[in-house]
Amino acid sequence: MTAGRDDLELTEVGPYIWALRLPIPWEDGHVNSFLLPDGKAVDVVDCGMKAEDSLELIHAAVARLGGPGGHVRRLVVTHIHPDHYGGAGELTRRSGAELYLHRLEVPMVHPRYMEIDQLVEEVGRYLLVHGVPEQEANFMKNASRGLRDFVTPAEPALPLEGTELLQLGKRRLRVEWTPGHSPGHVCLYDVDAGFLFSGDQLLPESSPNIGLHPQSTPNPLDDYLRGLARIVELAPALVLPAHGLPFADAAGRVEQMVDHHRRRKLGMLELLSNGEMNGWQVATAVWGMRSNLIDMRMALQEGLAHLQSLSVEGRVEKRASPAAVTWRRSS
Ligand SMILES: [Zn+2]
């Protein structure tokens, strides 16, 4: 039914490595899924969201690469955001594929995509404590409810920790744990060809959202920057990102990201010269007030990640009570 469809955007990006572009309603409209065939068995890195047209594209690509009897054998998901993980439930159910996912992502699935009321309340309190006005906080805390439509959860056959060597297709991939964008985000490093499947950690066109929030690690920006340093150490020959086209100069792109965050932190320090502020005041000063409150929630969380990093360095004081958290320059 689908094997012959001609709208497949399936590109060979390395030996036995294929990139499949899948549609999503965010970013630049596409996420890359990577397919690694070995005979009839096809292993997959990231699977797009739960949507029939997206899942059909994967099945068509698997049929093309694996031939008659071609099937998905293993699915590795870099992190549980809907565009990477959303299709996992359907894909593993239909194909019997094994799911591999970092273990720090696993406990986030239930509160985020199944019974979400508790997390919504927690986020609501968090927004108020960081200075979001009540009306906006009420809207913003519910902003993620719709994401459930794009996800069917799946349990991992093997929870990952990092450093595992996985056989995917004909390639040997080492799991590199790179927290920050999400607590259990992983990259996969092809130890023979030097290719890096970077997920959202390193992208050619955009900077991934690094936010401090109730499900994040407690200092996500510095976690993220350590992950970037690890990538420089690996010195990959080619980066295969989840969004956009493959690129070669990993170190150059890392330098741009590091510089972006360093300047952002300096800007916030500057801002705090005017006195004590809460996270919402900082975010609206840095990014401006946007009509899209979902963007504002991301901006607040991203701003808090920078403030937290400044506080860990001792350049900012974080004053906290159950009612409010505020930030001021260290004297
Ligand atoms: Zn993501």
Side-chain angles (χ1 to χ4, degrees):
M1 165 190 69
T2 51
R5 57 188 292 170
D6 53 13
D7 59 343
L8 271 190
E9 296 187 71
L10 185 63
T11 315
E12 191 167 17
V13 290
Y16 302 101
I17 305 173
W18 298 75
L20 173 67
R21 259 160 73 96
L22 297 172
I24 52 169
W26 320 277
E27 302 279 338
D28 62 349
H30 290 95
V31 66
N32 297 319
S33 173
F34 293 97
L35 283 71
L36 299 91
D38 181 7
K40 292 183 190 309
V42 179
D43 298 327
V44 176
V45 177
D46 284 347
C47 62
M49 57 182 201
K50 181 194 80 176
E52 204 44 48
D53 59 335
S54 179
L55 288 162
E56 270 186 23
L57 288 169
I58 295 180
H59 287 297
V62 167
R64 185 173 296 178
L65 296 176
H71 61 277
V72 182
R73 178 177 58 185
R74 298 187 180 122
L75 167 65
V76 185
V77 167
T78 58
H79 62 301
I80 61 148
H81 291 170
D83 45 335
H84 305 262
Y85 168 75
E90 284 297 313
L91 197 64
T92 54
R93 187 179 60 76
R94 291 181 199 180
S95 62
E98 299 168 336
L99 173 66
Y100 294 71
L101 179 65
H102 194 277
R103 65 174 168 81
L104 290 187
E105 296 294 277
V106 177
M108 295 163 51
V109 169
H110 194 93
R112 198 176 272 215
Y113 300 130
M114 296 167 88
E115 287 169 62
I116 77 166
D117 288 339
Q118 194 184 332
L119 182 60
V120 165
E121 286 319 303
E122 200 180 338
V123 168
R125 281 194 300 278
Y126 185 79
L127 296 172
L128 293 172
V129 161
H130 287 289
V132 178
E134 203 166 331
Q135 204 181 345
E136 278 89 342
N138 262 328
F139 179 87
M140 283 156 79
K141 74 178 182 186
N142 286 299
S144 308
R145 281 186 188 273
L147 292 179
R148 280 183 302 175
D149 298 344
F150 301 108
V151 178
T152 316
E155 288 284 325
L158 179 67
L160 302 169
E161 290 166 334
T163 76
E164 292 87 350
L165 205 52
L166 304 177
Q167 182 76 37
L168 292 192
K170 292 183 182 291
R171 319 295 323 172
R172 292 188 306 151
L173 302 183
R174 186 179 195 270
V175 176
E176 295 288 336
W177 175 45
T178 50
H181 176 63
S182 193
H185 185 287
V186 297
C187 297
L188 298 169
Y189 182 65
D190 185 317
V191 293
D192 301 305
F195 293 169
L196 183 77
F197 297 80
S198 67
D200 280 353
Q201 173 77 12
L202 191 62
L203 302 170
E205 307 284 345
S206 58
S207 173
N209 181 257
I210 311 296
L212 185 71
H213 57 77
Q215 285 193 326
S216 73
T217 51
N219 183 4
L221 181 58
D222 288 312
D223 291 339
Y224 173 69
L225 294 171
R226 269 190 292 278
L228 291 183
R230 173 65 183 150
I231 290 178
V232 173
E233 248 173 56
L234 289 171
L238 190 70
V239 179
L240 304 172
H243 305 278
L245 296 173
F247 60 97
D249 185 14
R253 187 63 183 143
V254 165
E255 202 178 305
Q256 290 172 353
M257 289 294 102
V258 170
D259 195 52
H260 164 77
H261 290 295
R262 190 184 54 82
R263 279 187 287 135
R264 187 68 92 202
K265 278 164 67 175
L266 284 178
M268 287 183 189
L269 260 189
E270 194 75 0
L271 200 60
L272 292 175
S273 306
N274 306 321
E276 192 164 323
M277 296 171 87
N278 62 38
W280 181 247
Q281 290 166 327
V282 170
T284 50
V286 172
W287 283 277
M289 188 61 205
R290 310 262 177 84
S291 54
N292 185 337
L293 285 176
I294 297 172
D295 287 353
M296 286 309 297
R297 178 171 145 187
M298 305 266 270
L300 170 70
Q301 294 173 348
E302 176 113 12
L304 290 171
H306 289 82
L307 290 164
Q308 178 73 8
S309 170
L310 284 165
S311 188
V312 168
E313 291 170 346
R315 293 200 275 177
V316 156
E317 276 176 19
K318 178 182 186 181
R319 313 191 131 205
S321 78
V325 172
T326 55
W327 313 80
R328 67 177 207 179
R329 264 183 102 130
S330 302
S331 38

